[in-house]
């Protein structure tokens, strides 16, 4: 399958119909799904109906949306009216929301063709997609390997080139890490850039939806379609959405790139990874960029800070799943509390329970100041670190991950899994935009380069990523093992 912009142009030229494209995407998914298992729910009827609607508009000469006819997958935590929306959890295994999320509505009005709901770590907690309550998803470049998480299904289906566009969410790295593992582009926008309305919450002060795509241009187009103020989300920000495709560049003359000295020691642990990133910075330099050393002195506290704030917010967000209003219920014989107890015991997986316990503990009166309030203070310091860094540079380039995709089952210790978020969490805590763009290969497997920018400067970040992508074209150098 080609990129989204190639498909859109072919449909606009009437070289292909949206229905043909949709059938081809559904076939491609069908061929690889037995090995990848990227989807929890496929929506072939809805997709074909939408494609026919697009074709009818084109036949009548009516205007079509910016993503007209482009096959698109959405992570299974975006509410989609009357379609199963499980969040990767048994507790929502039967949940069909009565309304659609703003992201889904914006995709619909951009005339994207939504093909299905993708697998994910339960409630977006994880870095490998192995915490899905249903089944793990595989990496299209190594079937023994994980696709990353938590947006693993979205990354896997785009990485397999079954569809060019998917939407994921990123709380502490869940778009960027799987994008890195699956040889695709993944963008976490500024907190507040994309509406969270109808997106099942994990940690509300961090969650943000964003594009996972075949290339940077597709990411720019998809972001343009889903971004923007939404009165239904009080944290969405009323800042105009530029046309992200317009400013994409092919060189980096005059761009000052910050290199995070504090990260150099961390990545040096693995010489192959260190070399990959050195080479990536060299490629940026060849494009005309100049380099500035920056420091993020509080980044080393990122993991500890995130793993207090995120569980604290999740323990509160997940209190609503008690069998009373929606989702799965397991009746208790004694009283309503027994019902809550049985429902939550049966409905949540181990990682979700671990986070609820951690978060509830951190929020207990007496511990609240020592943990949650303190973590918020560190978060503020981290934000200051970035403000200072961006006074000296336009964007920051740094590792997205510490390793190439690992094998299923390789990280059974929760802390080993948490360490996967080392390079992605600081930007999440600061609320700034950050993305992963294919950066090369280690041991024959994909690794992403991370680029981040000040709040609401997604256009600047995408422009740099585009120049790098066009010069290096790493994504095209490796073919998926299934297609
Ligand atoms: N891996 C991190 C976690 O488990 C981040 C998840 C995410 O961004 N949703 O919390």
């Amino acid at each position: 399958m080609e990129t989204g912009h190639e498909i859109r142009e072919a449909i606009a030229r009437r070289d292909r119909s949206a229905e043909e494209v949709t059938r081809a995407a559904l076939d491609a998914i069908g061929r690889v799904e037995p090995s990848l298992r990227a989807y929890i729910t496929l929506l072939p009827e809805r997709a074909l109906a939408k494609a026919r609607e697009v074709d009818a508009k084109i036949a009548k000469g009516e205007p079509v949306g910016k993503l007209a006819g482009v096959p698109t997958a959405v992570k299974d935590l975006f509410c989609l009216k009357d379609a199963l929306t499980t969040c990767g959890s048994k507790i929502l295994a039967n949940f069909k929301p009565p309304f659609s999320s703003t992201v889904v509505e914006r995709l619909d009005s951009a005339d994207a063709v939504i093909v299905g709901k993708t697998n994910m770590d339960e409630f977006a907690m994880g870095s490998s997609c192995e915490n899905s309550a249903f089944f793990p998803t595989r990496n299209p470049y190594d079937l023994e390997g994980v696709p990353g998480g938590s947006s693993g299904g979205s990354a896997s289906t785009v990485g397999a080139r079954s569809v060019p566009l998917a939407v994921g969410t990123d709380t502490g790295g869940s778009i960027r890490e799987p994008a890195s593992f699956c040889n695709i582009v993944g963008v976490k926008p500024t907190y507040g850039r994309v509406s969270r309305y109808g997106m099942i919450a994990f940690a509300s002060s961090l969650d943000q939806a964003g594009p996972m795509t075949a290339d940077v241009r597709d990411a720019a187009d998809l972001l343009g379609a889903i971004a923007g103020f939404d009165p239904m989300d009080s944290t969405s920000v009323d800042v105009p959405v530029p046309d992200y495709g317009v400013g994409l560049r092919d060189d980096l003359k005059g761009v000052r790139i910050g290199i995070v000295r504090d990260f150099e020691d961390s990545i040096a642990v693995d010489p192959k990874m260190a070399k990959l990133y050195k080479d990536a910075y060299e490629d940026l330099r060849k494009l005309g960029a100049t380099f500035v050393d920056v420091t993020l002195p509080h980044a080393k506290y990122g993991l500890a800070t995130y793993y207090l704030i995120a569980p604290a917010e999740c323990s509160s967000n997940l209190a609503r799943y008690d069998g009373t209003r929606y989702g799965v219920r397991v009746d208790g014989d004694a009283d309503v509390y027994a019902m809550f107890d049985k429902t939550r015991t049966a409905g949540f997986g181990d990682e979700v329970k671990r986070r609820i316990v951690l978060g509830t503990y951190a929020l207990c009166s007496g511990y609240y100041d020592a943990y949650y309030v303190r973590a918020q203070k560190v978060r503020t310091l981290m934000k200051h670190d970035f403000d200072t860094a961006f006074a000296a540079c336009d964007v920051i380039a740094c590792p997205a991950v510490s390793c190439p995709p690992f094998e299923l089952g390789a990280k059974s210790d929760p802390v080993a899994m948490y360490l996967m978020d080392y390079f992605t969490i600081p930007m999440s805590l600061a609320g700034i935009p950050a993305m992963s763009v294919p950066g090369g290969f280690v041991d024959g497997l994909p690794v992403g380069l991370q680029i981040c920018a000040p709040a609401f400067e997604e256009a600047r970040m995408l422009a740099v990523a585009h120049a790098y992508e066009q010069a290096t074209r790493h994504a095209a150098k490796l073919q998926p093992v299934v297609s």
Side-chain angles (χ1 to χ4, degrees):
M1 167 108 9
E2 316 93 295
T3 62
H5 49 96
E6 286 162 352
I7 289 175
R8 204 186 53 222
E9 284 153 19
I11 292 175
R13 281 195 310 268
R14 304 198 192 193
D15 285 352
R16 301 168 76 188
S17 69
E19 184 170 347
E20 275 164 27
V21 169
T22 303
R23 288 194 190 279
L26 293 170
D27 285 351
I29 293 166
R31 281 197 302 277
V32 298
E33 198 50 14
S35 13
L36 296 182
R37 307 205 73 187
Y39 290 84
I40 294 178
T41 304
L42 279 165
L43 300 166
E45 287 94 30
R46 186 187 201 276
L48 286 166
K50 181 71 191 179
R52 286 188 203 109
E53 187 190 313
V54 172
D55 287 335
K57 280 195 206 172
I58 291 175
K60 281 190 255 166
E62 288 174 12
V64 286
K66 280 176 62 172
L67 302 176
V70 183
T72 305
V74 294
K75 188 175 182 176
D76 203 22
L77 51 55
F78 291 99
C79 286
L80 200 159
K81 191 170 185 292
D82 299 330
L84 210 54
T85 298
T86 69
C87 213
S89 182
K90 277 193 207 144
I91 212 156
L92 288 174
N94 60 0
F95 177 55
K96 291 190 174 170
F99 68 100
S100 284
S101 55
T102 299
V103 162
V104 163
E105 286 193 342
R106 290 195 176 174
L107 289 173
D108 281 343
S109 57
D111 285 327
V113 172
I114 296 177
V115 295
K117 312 285 299 293
T118 54
N119 197 21
M120 54 181 287
D121 288 298
E122 184 176 7
F123 283 98
M125 297 171 195
S127 300
S128 68
C129 219
E130 293 166 293
N131 291 340
S132 165
F134 306 113
F135 43 81
T137 293
R138 306 273 169 159
N139 189 306
Y141 295 88
D142 170 15
L143 295 178
E144 298 308 311
V146 302
S150 63
S151 313
S154 290
S156 179
T157 190
V158 176
R161 313 294 174 212
S162 306
V163 296
L165 309 184
V167 186
T169 60
D170 190 309
T171 303
S174 279
I175 286 175
R176 291 162 283 164
E177 187 244 5
S180 167
F181 277 16
C182 292
N183 203 18
I184 65 166
V185 174
V187 176
K188 181 201 92 76
T190 309
Y191 181 78
R193 181 73 291 190
V194 178
S195 170
R196 295 181 301 112
Y197 179 68
M199 191 176 113
I200 296 174
F202 161 17
S204 303
S205 76
L206 295 156
D207 298 342
Q208 187 60 202
M212 303 179 76
T213 58
D215 70 2
V216 174
R217 183 165 293 278
D218 275 354
D221 292 344
L222 179 50
L223 181 61
I226 61 174
F229 177 65
D230 177 12
M232 299 302 281
D233 173 5
S234 61
T235 62
S236 99
V237 183
D238 196 357
V239 171
V241 180
D243 183 341
Y244 293 111
V246 168
L248 299 181
R249 315 179 35 158
D250 289 323
D251 70 72
L252 296 176
K253 289 193 193 85
V255 177
R256 298 166 305 159
I257 297 185
I259 300 292
V260 185
R261 287 301 157 212
D262 320 65
F263 284 168
E264 299 287 276
D265 296 343
S266 325
I267 201 74
V269 181
D270 182 336
K272 288 184 195 161
M273 294 294 292
K275 169 150 181 5
L276 179 135
Y277 285 114
K278 243 180 137 182
D279 291 348
Y281 304 153
E282 203 38 50
D283 287 332
L284 293 168
R285 190 193 303 276
K286 283 188 209 144
L287 286 161
T290 52
F291 282 82
V292 187
D293 280 354
V294 296
T295 61
L296 300 174
H298 298 91
K300 57 177 177 288
Y301 305 118
L303 278 180
T305 308
Y306 172 88
Y307 279 98
L308 275 167
I309 293 174
E313 293 181 8
C314 108
S315 72
S316 157
N317 271 326
L318 270 55
R320 72 190 74 177
Y321 305 107
D322 57 13
T324 310
R325 283 153 296 189
Y326 45 79
V328 169
R329 171 186 299 178
V330 183
D331 280 321
D333 9 298
D335 53 20
V336 70
Y337 296 103
M339 186 272 282
F340 293 166
D341 191 3
K342 286 196 169 168
T343 298
R344 289 168 69 83
T345 302
F348 290 137
D350 288 348
E351 184 58 30
V352 174
K353 286 177 184 154
R354 185 176 297 119
R355 308 262 181 130
I356 292 173
V357 170
L358 266 170
T360 307
Y361 180 82
L363 291 176
C364 282
S365 69
Y367 295 126
Y368 181 82
D369 286 343
Y371 292 118
Y372 191 69
V373 171
R374 197 147 179 220
Q376 293 290 13
K377 288 181 181 163
V378 179
R379 188 173 183 179
T380 305
L381 293 172
M382 214 164 285
K383 165 107 187 24
H384 288 319
D385 286 355
F386 279 105
D387 290 346
T388 310
F390 284 125
C393 64
D394 302 309
V395 297
I396 288 174
C398 63
V401 286
S402 53
C403 61
F406 50 87
E407 290 199 352
L408 265 89
K411 294 193 192 290
S412 49
D413 169 21
V415 176
M417 196 67 88
Y418 299 167
L419 281 166
M420 288 305 305
D421 308 324
Y422 187 81
F423 295 117
T424 48
I425 275 177
M427 301 78 185
S428 300
L429 289 168
I432 60 170
M435 67 183 287
S436 177
V437 56
F441 307 93
V442 164
D443 299 332
L445 291 172
V447 170
L449 168 69
Q450 185 171 207
I451 299 178
C452 54
F456 296 102
E457 295 294 348
E458 283 86 358
R460 189 193 297 179
M461 172 177 91
L462 289 160
V464 172
H466 184 261
Y468 174 77
E469 172 194 70
Q470 295 304 304
T472 56
R473 297 195 176 266
H474 288 305
K477 291 178 191 157
L478 190 66
Q479 296 309 311
V481 293
V482 287
S483 62

